[in-house]
Amino acid sequence: MHYWQQFELRDENMERLRVALLAPRENNKVPEEFHGLLRSGDPDAVCVAINYYSSAAPSVHSGRENTFAADTAEVLERARAVLRGELEGEGRVAEDDLAEERVGTALSAVMDLVEPRDTPLVLKALAVVRSQEGTEGACYAAAHLLEVLPPGGEESEELIAVLARAAFDESVLDGDRWPALGALGASSSETAIDWLLRALDLRTIELQAVAGMALAGLDLERFRPRLECMVASWPEVSDYPAYQLVKLLGES
């Protein structure tokens, strides 16, 4: 989130660390300022550090050495503290309206690291975030949890219910409903499958296609007849994700 790169911290010492952290560097060592901000009690300073981690640690996904490997566990714990609202200064949320920014930033760093015990935090995040980036992060985290939680369990079903509400919320743009629909496809629960089947009747081809891709990922042969019937009713498509589903059905 670029928000924190321009955010000026209220505390003079924390602001000095923030400016120093964002200064150009010639080496790839983890800056001391990063730890100073991460270990502070100020939620905004912690979010600056977490945002820096999210931006500077993509080497994890690119195959290069991750210079932040030793800090991952600590970042996860500090992100949990932000999501729980445990840090000093959280009472300022009503004043400066940073609740969503903090939640979104915390999720951006840990969305693929969350564990079953983090389910209440992800549920809380899903209720708070409204931005596209924040919603994507929360839904990605929810999908990760659905992959490891027992299908049909109480926590799994609660996540599915929240995702379904978001996926079928006609008051938001179609594109903002994609992440929730996609996340439902991370669960083999019959409840999630039922919601995805209902989504095949949504009003736009793009939402139908997202649900169709999720069902295909779960069990293509089981759902092939329904998906082929739906695709046959479409006009010729060339845009993602509808074209992707048409291509998948044709190739498999």
PDB file of all heavy atoms in Angstrom, residues 131-144:
ATOM      1  N   SER A 131     -11.896  -1.082   0.427  1.00  0.00           N
ATOM      2  CA  SER A 131     -11.136  -0.796  -0.777  1.00  0.00           C
ATOM      3  C   SER A 131     -10.889  -2.082  -1.557  1.00  0.00           C
ATOM      4  O   SER A 131     -10.948  -3.188  -1.007  1.00  0.00           O
ATOM      5  CB  SER A 131      -9.783  -0.164  -0.421  1.00  0.00           C
ATOM      6  OG  SER A 131      -8.948  -1.110   0.229  1.00  0.00           O
ATOM      7  N   GLN A 132     -10.600  -1.947  -2.844  1.00  0.00           N
ATOM      8  CA  GLN A 132     -10.349  -3.120  -3.682  1.00  0.00           C
ATOM      9  C   GLN A 132      -9.135  -3.894  -3.179  1.00  0.00           C
ATOM     10  O   GLN A 132      -9.170  -5.123  -3.065  1.00  0.00           O
ATOM     11  CB  GLN A 132     -10.136  -2.700  -5.133  1.00  0.00           C
ATOM     12  CG  GLN A 132      -9.924  -3.877  -6.085  1.00  0.00           C
ATOM     13  CD  GLN A 132      -9.785  -3.440  -7.528  1.00  0.00           C
ATOM     14  OE1 GLN A 132      -9.387  -2.311  -7.823  1.00  0.00           O
ATOM     15  NE2 GLN A 132     -10.103  -4.323  -8.451  1.00  0.00           N
ATOM     16  N   GLU A 133      -8.062  -3.170  -2.859  1.00  0.00           N
ATOM     17  CA  GLU A 133      -6.847  -3.830  -2.389  1.00  0.00           C
ATOM     18  C   GLU A 133      -7.083  -4.528  -1.057  1.00  0.00           C
ATOM     19  O   GLU A 133      -6.647  -5.667  -0.846  1.00  0.00           O
ATOM     20  CB  GLU A 133      -5.719  -2.803  -2.255  1.00  0.00           C
ATOM     21  CG  GLU A 133      -4.370  -3.425  -1.897  1.00  0.00           C
ATOM     22  CD  GLU A 133      -3.254  -2.406  -1.870  1.00  0.00           C
ATOM     23  OE1 GLU A 133      -3.548  -1.195  -2.000  1.00  0.00           O
ATOM     24  OE2 GLU A 133      -2.093  -2.800  -1.708  1.00  0.00           O
ATOM     25  N   GLY A 134      -7.778  -3.848  -0.148  1.00  0.00           N
ATOM     26  CA  GLY A 134      -8.055  -4.453   1.144  1.00  0.00           C
ATOM     27  C   GLY A 134      -8.953  -5.668   1.032  1.00  0.00           C
ATOM     28  O   GLY A 134      -8.741  -6.683   1.707  1.00  0.00           O
ATOM     29  N   THR A 135      -9.960  -5.574   0.168  1.00  0.00           N
ATOM     30  CA  THR A 135     -10.867  -6.700  -0.027  1.00  0.00           C
ATOM     31  C   THR A 135     -10.138  -7.894  -0.615  1.00  0.00           C
ATOM     32  O   THR A 135     -10.339  -9.041  -0.192  1.00  0.00           O
ATOM     33  CB  THR A 135     -12.027  -6.294  -0.957  1.00  0.00           C
ATOM     34  OG1 THR A 135     -12.769  -5.234  -0.346  1.00  0.00           O
ATOM     35  CG2 THR A 135     -12.957  -7.461  -1.219  1.00  0.00           C
ATOM     36  N   GLU A 136      -9.284  -7.650  -1.587  1.00  0.00           N
ATOM     37  CA  GLU A 136      -8.520  -8.735  -2.197  1.00  0.00           C
ATOM     38  C   GLU A 136      -7.644  -9.428  -1.159  1.00  0.00           C
ATOM     39  O   GLU A 136      -7.553 -10.659  -1.121  1.00  0.00           O
ATOM     40  CB  GLU A 136      -7.665  -8.201  -3.340  1.00  0.00           C
ATOM     41  CG  GLU A 136      -8.464  -7.814  -4.568  1.00  0.00           C
ATOM     42  CD  GLU A 136      -7.598  -7.215  -5.657  1.00  0.00           C
ATOM     43  OE1 GLU A 136      -6.391  -6.997  -5.412  1.00  0.00           O
ATOM     44  OE2 GLU A 136      -8.123  -6.949  -6.751  1.00  0.00           O
ATOM     45  N   GLY A 137      -6.989  -8.639  -0.306  1.00  0.00           N
ATOM     46  CA  GLY A 137      -6.136  -9.223   0.721  1.00  0.00           C
ATOM     47  C   GLY A 137      -6.923 -10.059   1.710  1.00  0.00           C
ATOM     48  O   GLY A 137      -6.508 -11.173   2.074  1.00  0.00           O
ATOM     49  N   ALA A 138      -8.068  -9.541   2.153  1.00  0.00           N
ATOM     50  CA  ALA A 138      -8.884 -10.269   3.122  1.00  0.00           C
ATOM     51  C   ALA A 138      -9.431 -11.557   2.518  1.00  0.00           C
ATOM     52  O   ALA A 138      -9.468 -12.605   3.175  1.00  0.00           O
ATOM     53  CB  ALA A 138     -10.029  -9.380   3.605  1.00  0.00           C
ATOM     54  N   CYS A 139      -9.859 -11.496   1.263  1.00  0.00           N
ATOM     55  CA  CYS A 139     -10.404 -12.694   0.610  1.00  0.00           C
ATOM     56  C   CYS A 139      -9.306 -13.720   0.333  1.00  0.00           C
ATOM     57  O   CYS A 139      -9.535 -14.932   0.441  1.00  0.00           O
ATOM     58  CB  CYS A 139     -11.115 -12.315  -0.682  1.00  0.00           C
ATOM     59  SG  CYS A 139     -12.680 -11.444  -0.422  1.00  0.00           S
ATOM     60  N   TYR A 140      -8.132 -13.230  -0.011  1.00  0.00           N
ATOM     61  CA  TYR A 140      -7.006 -14.150  -0.223  1.00  0.00           C
ATOM     62  C   TYR A 140      -6.668 -14.865   1.077  1.00  0.00           C
ATOM     63  O   TYR A 140      -6.417 -16.084   1.092  1.00  0.00           O
ATOM     64  CB  TYR A 140      -5.792 -13.380  -0.740  1.00  0.00           C
ATOM     65  CG  TYR A 140      -4.635 -14.257  -1.169  1.00  0.00           C
ATOM     66  CD1 TYR A 140      -4.450 -14.592  -2.503  1.00  0.00           C
ATOM     67  CD2 TYR A 140      -3.717 -14.754  -0.236  1.00  0.00           C
ATOM     68  CE1 TYR A 140      -3.392 -15.398  -2.902  1.00  0.00           C
ATOM     69  CE2 TYR A 140      -2.668 -15.560  -0.622  1.00  0.00           C
ATOM     70  CZ  TYR A 140      -2.506 -15.873  -1.956  1.00  0.00           C
ATOM     71  OH  TYR A 140      -1.452 -16.674  -2.337  1.00  0.00           O
ATOM     72  N   ALA A 141      -6.652 -14.127   2.181  1.00  0.00           N
ATOM     73  CA  ALA A 141      -6.384 -14.738   3.481  1.00  0.00           C
ATOM     74  C   ALA A 141      -7.470 -15.749   3.833  1.00  0.00           C
ATOM     75  O   ALA A 141      -7.191 -16.835   4.355  1.00  0.00           O
ATOM     76  CB  ALA A 141      -6.288 -13.659   4.560  1.00  0.00           C
ATOM     77  N   ALA A 142      -8.726 -15.395   3.544  1.00  0.00           N
ATOM     78  CA  ALA A 142      -9.834 -16.313   3.808  1.00  0.00           C
ATOM     79  C   ALA A 142      -9.694 -17.582   2.989  1.00  0.00           C
ATOM     80  O   ALA A 142      -9.934 -18.698   3.486  1.00  0.00           O
ATOM     81  CB  ALA A 142     -11.163 -15.630   3.500  1.00  0.00           C
ATOM     82  N   ALA A 143      -9.299 -17.438   1.732  1.00  0.00           N
ATOM     83  CA  ALA A 143      -9.102 -18.605   0.872  1.00  0.00           C
ATOM     84  C   ALA A 143      -7.994 -19.504   1.420  1.00  0.00           C
ATOM     85  O   ALA A 143      -8.120 -20.737   1.423  1.00  0.00           O
ATOM     86  CB  ALA A 143      -8.771 -18.156  -0.552  1.00  0.00           C
ATOM     87  N   HIS A 144      -6.929 -18.883   1.896  1.00  0.00           N
ATOM     88  CA  HIS A 144      -5.828 -19.663   2.470  1.00  0.00           C
ATOM     89  C   HIS A 144      -6.312 -20.462   3.677  1.00  0.00           C
ATOM     90  O   HIS A 144      -5.952 -21.634   3.848  1.00  0.00           O
ATOM     91  CB  HIS A 144      -4.690 -18.729   2.866  1.00  0.00           C
ATOM     92  CG  HIS A 144      -3.485 -19.425   3.419  1.00  0.00           C
ATOM     93  ND1 HIS A 144      -2.596 -20.107   2.634  1.00  0.00           N
ATOM     94  CD2 HIS A 144      -3.045 -19.559   4.690  1.00  0.00           C
ATOM     95  CE1 HIS A 144      -1.642 -20.637   3.395  1.00  0.00           C
ATOM     96  NE2 HIS A 144      -1.892 -20.309   4.644  1.00  0.00           N
TER      97      HIS A 144
END
